[in-house]
Amino acid sequence: MPELFAQLLRQDFADLDAATASWKKLAKAFDDTQRGSAKRVTGPLHKAGWAGVSAHYGFSAMEATETKLGTAEVNARLIATILQALGTKMRAAQRDLRSAVADAEAAGHKVRDDDGWVEPKQAVDPKYHNDPDYAGLQREANSGLGGFRARIDAAVEAARTASQTAADALYQLDPFDLDKRYGGAHAQEDAARVAAYAGIDPKAIPDGKDPQRSKDWWAGLDEEKRQFYLAAYPERIGSLDGLPAPVRDEANRAALDLRLNDYALREGTLGYHDRYNYRNLTTLKDRLEKTDSGPPDKQMYLLGYGTEKDGRAIVAMGNPDTARHTAVLVPGTDNQLDNYGAQLDRIGKLQDSARKSAAPGEDVAVISWMDYDAPEIDGSVTTRGRAHAGEEDLRDFTHGLRSAHQGERTHLTVIGHSYGSTMTGAADAGGRGLDADDVVVVGSPGLTVERANQLHVNPQHLWVGAAPDDNVSNWFSDATLGEDPKDPAFGAQRMPVDTSGHSGYWNEGSRSLDNQGRIVAGLKPRP
């Protein structure tokens, strides 16, 4: 303890600051390298269509390397966080110590340089020690002595505890994590310990029920805290409506890599559901990486994913935070993770169509929102249960888009297909609605309401498209899911279509697709 007193009193933290900065720099280098690999190597190879046995093993090796880089980035950031927190705690202890020493000396005491002992002062000349008042005067003059000693001891003990706890935290970081694919799981466990040491409370992360609150919380964090939360709690950060799309994409891709890594380690023992998820999430990752080296408007952002039931995913093509026009496509019956690629094809076509109609320089982002348990082709498709179960999530998502958007208010269109229109109707009818400028429903069996004016969207901006031979629209509307939205009495606007069947609304070159694009771009459909 005496040695620590002398060290702490005169401690220069330049070396600690330099070490912290070096680990931060290393973490950024790992992150940049991982991103560069995906953008300049893996992505272009996926885009080029490299296939076959060599491609299978090549991609597996490259993805393993990228996972290791991600793990190394997390660990380097954890080390930097420990060192930075140590510096903060040690500086606080030093301030307390110097303050206690200064106060003791100002009160007339001598503080020994070697061990910090506070000596009593002589209030009365020692030659008068036989004076009856001597002892009382000495006690009164040294009445604060115990307090000064306690303050010095507390400051030194705080420094010792901070140093020992930091050493323990660094010791528990597995150094082998830095070059092994399995390390990701351990890095997440390590993060919880580091968070406790650094005073970063995971309970501070919003519950996600209020997008504006989530936005404000994120905006109030400094860059160091943001990076720590991204590294330590990617799944929770990626799920927060209201956060910037690039932030959610980074978090969700990190969480996806960890999930795929876990599946890879257990590949020989996976059950049916995990094998289903492993296959489909790998396909989703490959599809995302194909766009990483493409033009900005075609880059994809992973805004959410999950493996519950048949799986779910939210993917944006183009950045919705900056787009002048944004569309959200809600798929319907029998859509799940294993056929999600078809939804990504549709949002690509919608984006192309809208860009043809939009004014020059106006960006368009289109999002596939499959964040609910779409009904199978069974009894669930005739009930409103799945729509009501997911309606609040869809409302939170569209309000989150509003909160995260930068600059002039984006023109927002929500498009519901099949049972997805039922979900869209339920979401817009309840709560605060979807806050959409336009709503389009195609092949709709009903919107859960009897009339258009029961929705929040202006009936003049509710567009209904239905092919003459669309059996879902013809047979199921005006039954259990609400009144027929294409009936003039319902009060919506008809969107002319020229396609046939239930799923032809996105056929290339069709008026059906062109009119959806025009509405997304803020224009009226052509007759």
Side-chain angles (χ1 to χ4, degrees):
M1 189 74 77
E3 290 183 2
L4 185 56
F5 165 82
Q7 292 172 359
L8 181 61
L9 192 65
R10 300 171 180 83
Q11 181 70 49
D12 181 350
F13 297 102
D15 289 344
L16 181 58
D17 292 341
T20 303
S22 294
W23 280 103
K24 289 179 180 178
K25 185 176 180 180
L26 182 60
K28 186 177 186 306
F30 282 134
D31 185 47
D32 290 345
T33 304
Q34 182 189 41
R35 291 170 181 270
S37 175
K39 187 171 184 177
R40 293 190 293 271
V41 182
T42 317
L45 287 173
H46 277 300
K47 189 176 181 180
W50 187 32
V53 176
S54 296
H56 172 76
Y57 287 105
F59 280 127
S60 179
M62 285 184 284
E63 287 168 3
T65 298
E66 289 173 6
T67 299
K68 294 174 187 177
L69 288 168
T71 299
E73 188 269 337
V74 171
N75 277 279
R77 196 167 298 285
L78 293 180
I79 292 171
T81 300
I82 292 172
L83 295 180
Q84 182 166 310
L86 173 61
T88 300
K89 292 172 185 288
M90 292 294 286
R91 281 185 170 89
Q94 186 183 69
R95 285 194 301 270
D96 290 345
L97 178 62
R98 288 177 173 177
S99 175
V101 170
D103 289 347
E105 291 178 340
H109 298 284
K110 175 179 175 55
V111 181
R112 293 200 304 234
D113 293 338
D114 56 344
D115 61 5
W117 182 252
V118 183
E119 296 181 346
K121 62 183 178 181
Q122 291 295 325
V124 182
D125 192 314
K127 67 182 180 180
Y128 298 114
H129 70 276
N130 291 323
D131 190 309
D133 296 326
Y134 176 83
L137 291 172
Q138 282 291 104
R139 283 195 299 273
E140 183 179 351
N142 289 284
S143 61
L145 183 65
F148 295 132
R149 289 174 177 171
R151 286 171 60 191
I152 289 174
D153 288 345
V156 172
E157 177 60 21
R160 189 197 66 78
T161 300
S163 178
Q164 183 60 54
T165 309
D168 291 343
L170 290 170
Y171 179 78
Q172 291 182 65
L173 291 178
D174 186 350
F176 294 103
D177 284 359
L178 294 175
D179 65 349
K180 286 185 171 54
R181 191 174 183 180
Y182 72 75
H186 297 286
Q188 300 306 299
E189 296 170 1
D190 293 336
R193 290 192 293 269
V194 175
Y197 174 74
I200 299 174
D201 187 1
K203 293 180 181 179
I205 301 174
D207 58 16
K209 295 180 180 179
D210 184 346
Q212 186 61 44
R213 178 171 176 263
S214 297
K215 175 189 177 179
D216 294 342
W217 170 75
W218 186 258
L221 299 177
D222 60 35
E223 187 58 27
E224 296 300 330
K225 285 277 184 70
R226 290 178 180 178
Q227 290 302 321
F228 183 87
Y229 277 117
L230 280 168
Y233 307 105
E235 287 191 0
R236 295 184 62 183
I237 299 304
S239 69
L240 290 179
D241 293 320
L243 265 58
V247 171
R248 297 183 67 177
D249 178 65
E250 179 181 351
N252 284 315
R253 291 205 196 198
L256 177 60
D257 284 344
L258 289 172
R259 181 69 63 90
L260 290 175
N261 183 38
D262 176 63
Y263 288 146
L265 293 171
R266 300 186 293 113
E267 189 168 9
T269 60
L270 294 178
Y272 171 79
H273 191 253
D274 283 343
R275 288 199 306 273
Y276 168 89
N277 289 326
Y278 188 18
R279 179 181 67 250
N280 294 325
L281 291 177
T282 300
T283 300
L284 175 61
K285 176 181 170 68
D286 292 347
R287 186 69 181 267
L288 293 169
E289 288 181 343
K290 285 182 180 179
T291 70
D292 287 343
S293 58
D297 61 301
K298 285 297 180 182
Q299 289 186 5
M300 292 186 184
Y301 298 81
L302 183 60
L303 304 183
Y305 84 96
T307 56
E308 310 90 297
K309 299 186 182 297
D310 297 324
R312 59 183 181 82
I314 311 172
V315 174
M317 182 173 290
N319 188 347
D321 297 346
T322 57
R324 178 65 188 88
H325 305 283
T326 304
V328 179
L329 177 61
V330 184
T333 307
D334 216 26
N335 278 285
Q336 49 199 39
L337 205 53
D338 65 0
N339 58 16
Y340 191 66
Q343 297 302 319
L344 297 181
D345 292 338
R346 286 180 179 177
I347 64 173
K349 293 177 181 179
L350 268 171
Q351 186 194 48
D352 290 341
S353 178
R355 289 180 65 200
K356 291 177 183 177
S357 297
E362 292 186 341
D363 292 336
V364 177
V366 183
I367 303 164
S368 172
W369 188 88
M370 194 179 75
D371 197 29
Y372 78 111
D373 185 18
E376 296 73 36
I377 303 178
D378 57 21
S380 63
V381 77
T382 63
T383 71
R384 305 180 184 189
R386 301 285 180 93
H388 288 314
E391 63 178 89
E392 186 174 356
D393 290 332
L394 181 54
R395 282 194 293 270
D396 287 345
F397 181 74
T398 58
H399 284 274
L401 292 177
R402 292 292 192 199
S403 295
H405 194 265
Q406 304 166 15
E408 183 182 357
R409 176 182 166 96
T410 188
H411 174 259
L412 176 62
T413 303
V414 179
I415 303 172
H417 174 233
S418 189
Y419 194 90
S421 70
T422 307
M423 163 64 75
T424 300
D428 198 46
R432 297 173 295 160
L434 295 172
D435 197 13
D437 299 293
D438 285 279
V439 170
V440 179
V441 296
V442 289
S444 175
L447 308 182
T448 73
V449 295
E450 296 180 357
R451 293 290 182 270
N453 60 14
Q454 293 175 294
L455 301 174
H456 281 80
V457 68
N458 186 329
Q460 295 297 313
H461 290 271
L462 173 61
W463 307 94
V464 180
D469 59 347
D470 185 331
N471 291 331
V472 172
S473 174
N474 292 333
W475 293 357
F476 290 95
S477 60
D478 202 19
T480 59
L481 301 179
E483 298 299 318
D484 186 351
K486 64 181 181 295
D487 187 329
F490 186 79
Q493 311 304 308
R494 287 303 295 268
M495 183 188 77
V497 300
D498 62 348
T499 48
S500 62
H502 186 56
S503 300
Y505 299 102
W506 296 275
N507 289 350
E508 296 277 6
S510 68
R511 182 184 301 173
S512 302
L513 178 59
D514 178 65
N515 277 338
Q516 289 179 78
R518 287 181 62 82
I519 294 170
V520 170
L523 305 175
K524 290 185 177 181
R526 301 184 194 277

